[in-house]
Amino acid sequence: MSSSATTTGRFPQDFLFGSATAAYQVEGAWNEDGKGESIWDRMLHEHPDYVRDRQNGDVSANSYHLYKDDVKALKELGAHFYRFSIAWTRIMPTGEAHKINQPGIDYYNNLINELLANGIQPMVTMYHWDLPQWLQDLGGWTNPIMVDYFEDYARFLFERYGDRVKWWFTFNEPSVFAAGYATERQMAPSLNKPGVGDYLASHHVLIAHARAYHLYDKHYRPTQQGKVSIALMSNWYEPRSDSTEDIAASDRAMQFSIGLYAHPIFSSAGDYPAIVRELVDKNSKAEGRPRSRLPVFSKDMIEYIKGTSDFYSLNYYTCRLVSPGITKHDPALRPDAEVSSHADPSWPTTASEWIKVVPWGLRKAINWVHKQYNGPTIVITENGVPDNGKLEDLSRISYYRVHLAEVLKSIHEDGCNVKGFTTWSLLDNFEWNSGYTEKFGLYFVDYSDPARTRKAKASVQFLKQIIRTRELPEETQKP
Ligand code: GBH
């Protein structure tokens, strides 16, 4: 026998590798060619102080003009797919379907065609947080009418792009953008209605997701034959000890951060997780409210939402230790979860405050999803880490090495159905509240150069080899 890597070290033949970005983080051209204003445009123009370096996505990596360079970069990497998002405001400047913007539509047609011409599958996120400001003025996701607007938008995308796009994500990380309704100075729209705005927004997002799924299922799947999913932030919350209390806290953390979105869609029972229902109802009552802060789905709605995803899209970055208490910082962990979380001081740190290198957390998250939701097909739709700005991004190489090893274990040792892996991100880009100070790209982008030149970091060669050989190389030296 040669090395043991031959069986457990290999990614299956049909396993897909790709890389991801999001419109506001890379496109720039925020007001060009008829694009409308989004909630991120508005928030950061009014409040530059919400971002560490007071920057915004106005120009960013300029992918609106440089998309061909992005496709070249993907080609060099050997990526099978590119996960990018569409800016709703480029297609429909106000978010209304009767006012469309042709140059915006053309932009995504050009990008999709360029990808396909280079043998790269487009994977499209419809909504990566940049709601049209016009719709926000109506209340954004707190207004149930948003379900109709989102369906109009989804229909338009299926109509115009579905002949070539076979992978759709309705939303990216509702747990993260719903925090924009719970907090201020962080996510748009910075509404600061904790425990009310976030649940309300999540509720309508789930219905909007199901509406788009059913629309595809009924009208487009028969001819277009693609897949529809929703990307969920799926970090792992490890019990701090093996005490019953800590294990229960870990379960609450997972149910409030993931189950709130995944249970209605992926579980056989449907609806919100019982523990989430119970705790929010209990606390709402104790606060003297006439009804729960967590809205209630009708029986019909529970059935309508159940099963509305063709696979599970898992975003993973890091892990936290949890025990009973209250967490204030983690947007996905609402106080109702009664969980306190922290990082183990022994975990390797990174250039990002919140990301510690905890690869086994990815394996646990995959297994948790596998067990909770009857072994769905799983695609890792985001995983990544920022570097220190050097082209020799050895810390990223070692991060991917250990995380990909855990993906292999989850496939070969645990029997989980993981079918793809996506690096976040293709390019150094606008990292939300951290601005350009955190560099997640496989490609360096020179932000001092108006031409925004892209340069491959060392991790590109490393990943390229894995994609080509479907094998993790032996570790020759510790980075
Ligand atoms: C993903 O989620 C996003 O999809 C992507 O757009 C983003 O660029 C990528 O991750 C990298 O961050 O500082 O302790 O308050 C990110 C979810 C939520 C992670 C807010 C950072 C702040 C933690 N983010 N969180 S803290």
Side-chain angles (χ1 to χ4, degrees), residues 27-44:
E27 282 181 5
W30 80 277
N31 62 355
E32 281 180 48
D33 292 349
K35 178 182 168 298
E37 184 190 26
S38 80
I39 56 176
W40 277 89
D41 294 324
R42 171 71 63 92
M43 185 176 85
L44 298 187

Side-chain angles (χ1 to χ4, degrees), residues 66-79:
L66 301 179
Y67 70 91
K68 287 191 177 165
D69 292 351
D70 298 345
V71 177
K72 267 192 206 117
L74 288 153
K75 179 93 178 170
E76 179 188 28
L77 174 66

Side-chain angles (χ1 to χ4, degrees), residues 12 28 37 56 60 212 229 246 271 316 324 332 336 415 458:
E37 184 190 26
N56 57 43
S60 189
S229 181
D246 288 351
D271 202 359
Y316 179 88
D336 293 311

Side-chain angles (χ1 to χ4, degrees), residues 8 33 74 126 135 198 209 413:
T8 56
D33 292 349
L74 288 153
M126 298 178 176
L135 290 176
D198 44 352
H209 161 81
E413 294 177 33

